[in-house]
Amino acid sequence: MIDLDHVILATPDLDGTARRLESEHRLPSAPGGRHAGLGTENRIVPLGDAYVELLSVTDRDEAAANPFGSWLLGHVEGGEAWIGWSVRTDDLDGVCARLGLEAQAMARSRPDGFELRWRVAGLERAREEAGLPFFISWDVPDEELPGHAGGEVQATGARLAAVEVGADEDALREWVGELPGTVRITGGPPGVHSVALAGAGGIEVLEPARPRGSVD
């Protein structure tokens, strides 16, 4: 089974973006943690079965020394941006066998000391082709998934309603198989175009902050 797991918002200012989302959209976030050896750190906007990951570089030298950190460095220079998305599967080994991928084990410790463990596959292809997601399989109980583990900042009943992605439909369906119902394929450049949340106030579209001095 394939479900939308999370969408990544890159930011040069992790705490600043967190404050903006809470102020403008009433979306609190929880500290995530540092990714050992990658030079990156995240915060989590928990949305039940999915979440928005705020991702930033904390050690430029360390980030520049690995493919993932270098990829993120290239995005945060221009300000906030949607840079990727992930789908959750309960059969990562089957996905790897079908697509000829290798799974990579990862982990990080939350501020409360709990160790999150997961495996990913397809990261390199997803970095090269922005319209494609990478695959993730979590090795923790469902209640500890990032979308459910917001504690006091569990996001006010908001849920991820839709993600619009620019992609070649045939290539995307060949890569993923059956798409999650919240994913919409649209025209334009490859990659995540928009993220819509459903909450008490109806449907609200999240937008990255515009760089200073930008004009329509």
Side-chain angles (χ1 to χ4, degrees):
M1 181 166 179
I2 295 289
D3 292 304
L4 181 65
D5 190 72
H6 66 279
V7 187
I8 304 172
L9 181 62
T11 171
D13 181 359
L14 191 61
D15 292 336
T17 295
R19 288 192 297 269
R20 183 182 71 80
L21 290 181
E22 185 162 13
S23 173
E24 296 180 3
H25 300 283
R26 304 169 305 285
L27 288 174
S29 61
R34 294 199 175 196
H35 302 110
L38 299 181
T40 61
E41 185 175 0
N42 67 1
R43 291 185 67 91
I44 303 298
V45 179
L47 300 166
D49 291 335
Y51 66 98
V52 171
E53 178 182 21
L54 312 181
L55 186 62
S56 191
V57 171
T58 55
D59 187 320
R60 295 183 65 87
D61 292 338
E62 189 174 42
N66 70 84
F68 183 82
S70 296
W71 172 70
L72 182 58
L73 273 173
H75 285 286
V76 298
E77 297 294 343
E80 293 180 8
W82 297 114
I83 63 167
W85 58 298
S86 173
V87 291
R88 186 171 61 252
T89 175
D90 56 4
D91 185 19
L92 187 63
D93 292 332
V95 169
C96 289
R98 179 174 65 86
L99 297 174
L101 303 174
E102 291 188 9
Q104 176 185 2
M106 303 184 74
R108 67 172 170 83
S109 293
R110 293 192 316 223
D112 64 3
F114 184 85
E115 184 181 50
L116 282 170
R117 301 178 307 279
W118 68 95
R119 294 189 300 152
V120 297
L123 265 175
E124 183 176 354
R125 178 82 181 273
R127 290 197 301 264
E128 294 173 351
E129 300 181 40
L132 301 182
F134 63 92
F135 301 91
I136 190 167
S137 175
W138 290 93
D139 297 325
V140 297
D142 285 351
E143 62 269 20
E144 300 296 346
L145 292 174
H148 290 291
E152 294 181 357
V153 300
Q154 190 71 36
T156 63
R159 293 294 180 265
L160 206 155
V163 176
E164 288 194 348
V165 179
D168 177 275
E169 183 169 355
D170 291 338
L172 180 55
R173 292 188 182 279
E174 181 179 355
W175 179 249
V176 176
E178 184 176 354
L179 292 177
T182 47
V183 175
R184 310 282 188 268
I185 303 173
T186 187
V192 175
H193 288 194
S194 70
V195 173
L197 303 184
I203 299 296
E204 185 173 10
V205 177
L206 295 186
E207 300 284 358
R210 299 178 64 188
R212 291 181 180 177
S214 61
V215 295
D216 292 330

